[in-house]
Amino acid sequence: MSALTALARLRAIRDGSAQPVTTVRHCHLAPQPLVFVPLGLSGEAAAPLAAMVGSDPGHPRLLVVPQPRNRDLRFAFAAELAEVVLPYVEGFCKGTETVERRGGEPYERCLDAPQILVPNRQGVAFLGLLGRSTRFRRVDGPYPVHPSVPLLGRWLTYFADRSQQPGSCLLMAATEALGAHWASGQSGLEDANLAALLGWIDPPAGMTGSQAALEAEDPLLWPPAGPSTDPGFDNEVLAPAMRAYEEAPTERSVERVTQALRTQLDPTWRLMWRAVDLLRALPEGSRVRDRWETDRGSFTRFTERLAEGGPPQARRDGAVGAAARLAGLERARASYDVQRAYDDPLIMAEYRLTGEAFTGTVTAADPEHTEGEGRSRKLRPLVTVTTADPVRLAPGVVVGSPERRGHAAEIVEVSGDEITLKVVKGMGRSRTPAPGAVPGPGERITYTSLLDDFQSSASLPDPELTPWTHGGPPQEYVPGDDDAQEEWS
């Protein structure tokens, strides 16, 4: 936790409501996201109990498994879920545009991408387990399933995997999105309770955030946001209803289970759309669109893989694949942190406190300054900035500026509160700097050592050259009968 976030939590306790820790929204919000509130059977890792799903706040679809231990009912639930999820996802596969990769190579990209919202990180994990449990299923042979079930599993696995990518918004947890923009007066663990977190951010009239959060702990008023249900509800309501269904699987007993589960899902459904409204009210950060375009590219590539008839995702990565995935996640995290700081003065302030950034006023500038002689002469304007921030950047460090895309400077000297910088990038290609390319006297500017430059992929061997210390070359993955027989739990 940063010093500013800790301060914001203390102020939330003092003022009785959550404090904003950003000035803009750092996540993309689709015009019509698909909200998915899952419930699972206690004691079973991936046995679906119910789900409320839809993209219209006023018309959710409730799916219920009256007896989750019944294999046929579980896969009937998966087929029903596919009826909602697949049309929503495939609706984004129709329109494409031609764009250019780095280097000028053109490729096709979907015009937009789907977005799924779940209440919390446990909901993301449940979707991943549900995808793993369905993507290998067969549509023929023993225990056949509806053809939509394995396709649903592949999509759910894709979304769950993509959610691990820092900055990705294809699958988001509401508690994490809210917690990234507001600091409550409770612990991070308590922030995982959607009702309590929203109580701090947007308490009802006449209540403080702490009072609303305390009320949210009552499972009769605000049931858990899933996928786990309240033990009291399980013992006193759900278990008798499921026993009645087992003894007499009639329409009436199914309705009893359905109504019981509806009481657990309806409050969370309302909370989810309340969270959407709160996030949508924040202005979007300027670099959010760039990250969403990356999501669109990833979505397009997976769509093409399905169209080409590729196999389901393997149960686990090989050594090289796992290393490449980890390196990619590390690059994405570094880039995401830089982009958030560049978009948001409040986040940049945390780096100013640590000395990794400074904000000041330009007191002198020499835009015509050059280095070298003859043909080797280069334009290197000098800028002097006066700042009150603690600067812990040594001469020679290259810094960038959030106010100027493509601009870069090298620190020449740090003398007290004056920093002299040499502009090395972002001036144009002429012998004189482009108008406005060099900061002028009186301009307020921020510089930081955080740079969002292009990072090449990690240098890794081909999978066929995997050393024996890491298992040797992996065998080509071919789905088999063992995959289709994988247990749900």
Side-chain angles (χ1 to χ4, degrees), residues 122-177:
Q122 291 81 7
V124 173
F126 185 83
L127 259 64
L129 285 172
L130 189 58
R132 178 184 174 92
S133 304
T134 53
R135 71 178 185 265
F136 298 117
R137 299 297 165 178
R138 299 290 184 85
V139 299
D140 52 13
Y143 308 114
V145 298
H146 190 275
S148 63
V149 171
L151 180 58
L152 171 70
R154 296 180 67 176
W155 273 116
L156 293 182
T157 300
Y158 166 74
F159 283 113
D161 288 346
R162 187 67 189 173
S163 71
Q164 299 176 15
Q165 185 87 358
S168 174
C169 295
L170 291 174
L171 173 60
M172 285 200 310
T175 51
E176 291 185 350

Side-chain angles (χ1 to χ4, degrees), residues 384-387 391 393 395 411-420:
T384 301
V385 178
T386 300
T387 180
V391 180
L393 301 174
I411 295 180
V412 177
E413 182 183 8
V414 179
S415 177
D417 60 355
E418 284 192 348
I419 297 93
T420 302

Side-chain angles (χ1 to χ4, degrees), residues 70-252:
N70 184 305
R71 180 190 185 95
D72 293 335
L73 294 178
R74 290 202 307 260
F75 287 110
F77 165 89
E80 283 188 84
L81 181 60
E83 291 178 3
V84 181
V85 174
L86 293 183
Y88 173 78
V89 170
E90 291 169 353
F92 293 90
C93 303
K94 297 175 182 177
T96 60
E97 62 179 351
T98 302
V99 294
E100 289 187 358
R101 290 189 177 94
R102 189 182 296 270
E105 182 183 354
Y107 74 103
E108 295 294 316
R109 184 174 65 194
C110 294
L111 294 174
D112 206 352
Q115 183 178 57
I116 299 177
L117 304 180
V118 295
N120 46 43
R121 176 51 60 174
Q122 291 81 7
V124 173
F126 185 83
L127 259 64
L129 285 172
L130 189 58
R132 178 184 174 92
S133 304
T134 53
R135 71 178 185 265
F136 298 117
R137 299 297 165 178
R138 299 290 184 85
V139 299
D140 52 13
Y143 308 114
V145 298
H146 190 275
S148 63
V149 171
L151 180 58
L152 171 70
R154 296 180 67 176
W155 273 116
L156 293 182
T157 300
Y158 166 74
F159 283 113
D161 288 346
R162 187 67 189 173
S163 71
Q164 299 176 15
Q165 185 87 358
S168 174
C169 295
L170 291 174
L171 173 60
M172 285 200 310
T175 51
E176 291 185 350
L178 292 169
H181 296 84
W182 284 276
S184 71
Q186 59 189 7
S187 69
L189 181 62
E190 292 169 313
D191 281 348
N193 183 325
L194 180 60
L197 182 56
L198 280 171
W200 276 101
I201 296 172
D202 187 27
M207 297 182 70
T208 65
S210 59
Q211 291 170 339
L214 182 62
E215 182 183 82
E217 294 181 5
D218 186 346
L220 297 178
L221 295 175
W222 297 105
S228 298
T229 48
D230 177 62
F233 166 79
D234 291 343
N235 296 329
E236 299 172 16
V237 180
L238 183 60
M242 292 176 65
R243 278 198 300 269
Y245 170 80
E246 291 175 346
E247 294 169 359
T250 62
E251 185 175 338
R252 182 177 179 180

Side-chain angles (χ1 to χ4, degrees), residues 263-308:
T263 65
Q264 302 299 293
L265 289 166
D266 271 337
T268 303
W269 178 262
R270 297 195 301 271
L271 291 175
M272 287 294 292
W273 290 103
R274 189 170 146 203
V276 169
D277 291 339
L278 286 169
L279 289 168
R280 205 182 296 282
L282 298 174
E284 186 178 87
S286 62
R287 289 166 177 80
V288 171
R289 181 179 296 273
D290 295 340
R291 294 195 293 273
W292 184 244
E293 289 180 355
T294 302
D295 276 338
R296 287 166 51 199
S298 172
F299 171 74
T300 303
R301 291 191 296 274
F302 188 73
T303 300
E304 292 172 347
R305 174 179 174 177
L306 291 178
E308 293 168 357

Side-chain angles (χ1 to χ4, degrees), residues 7-19 183-186 200:
L7 177 61
R9 288 192 179 277
L10 292 174
R11 292 190 62 179
I13 296 172
R14 184 195 68 183
D15 297 344
S17 62
Q19 301 296 304
S184 71
Q186 59 189 7
W200 276 101

